[in-house]
Amino acid sequence: MEFTASARRNTGTRDADGMAVAAFVLGLLGLLVMNIVLGPIAIVLAVLALWRKTGRRGRAYLGLVLGVSDLVVLGVLTTVHQTVSWHF
């Protein structure tokens, strides 16, 4: 079974769109829990989605910004409270 070039292109675009959405969701979730893990993952997925020319560029950029924000929150928590977790 052979795939045509357009079928491969559609699959690649769909994968990139999924990466953009995943970057956004993981970046948003990372603001609340496990920012040390989810932040870098969101950044990598967003960059890969943008590199693969996703149709959801806005979500990829939001995932990138949220991933960086996760790391900023981690830095602030570490500096102010000497911990990597939230506490009230």
Side-chain angles (χ1 to χ4, degrees):
M1 174 183 228
E2 290 186 33
F3 292 106
T4 63
S6 65
R8 276 187 240 141
R9 195 174 321 119
N10 289 340
T11 303
T13 303
R14 189 173 56 223
D15 290 344
D17 290 348
M19 281 188 226
V21 172
F24 172 71
V25 170
L26 291 176
L28 194 60
L29 187 61
L31 287 174
L32 301 174
V33 293
M34 296 191 327
N35 49 4
I36 195 167
V37 175
L38 297 179
I41 293 172
I43 292 170
V44 168
L45 285 174
V47 168
L48 283 174
L50 290 169
W51 184 66
R52 291 185 179 189
K53 303 206 183 341
T54 181
R56 299 179 183 217
R57 295 181 63 82
R59 288 211 179 114
Y61 281 122
L62 280 173
L64 184 62
V65 169
L66 287 170
V68 170
S69 299
D70 292 345
L71 297 178
V72 169
V73 166
L74 175 66
V76 169
L77 285 174
T78 304
T79 303
V80 173
H81 296 290
Q82 287 78 36
T83 184
V84 294
S85 64
W86 296 93
H87 59 85
F88 297 101

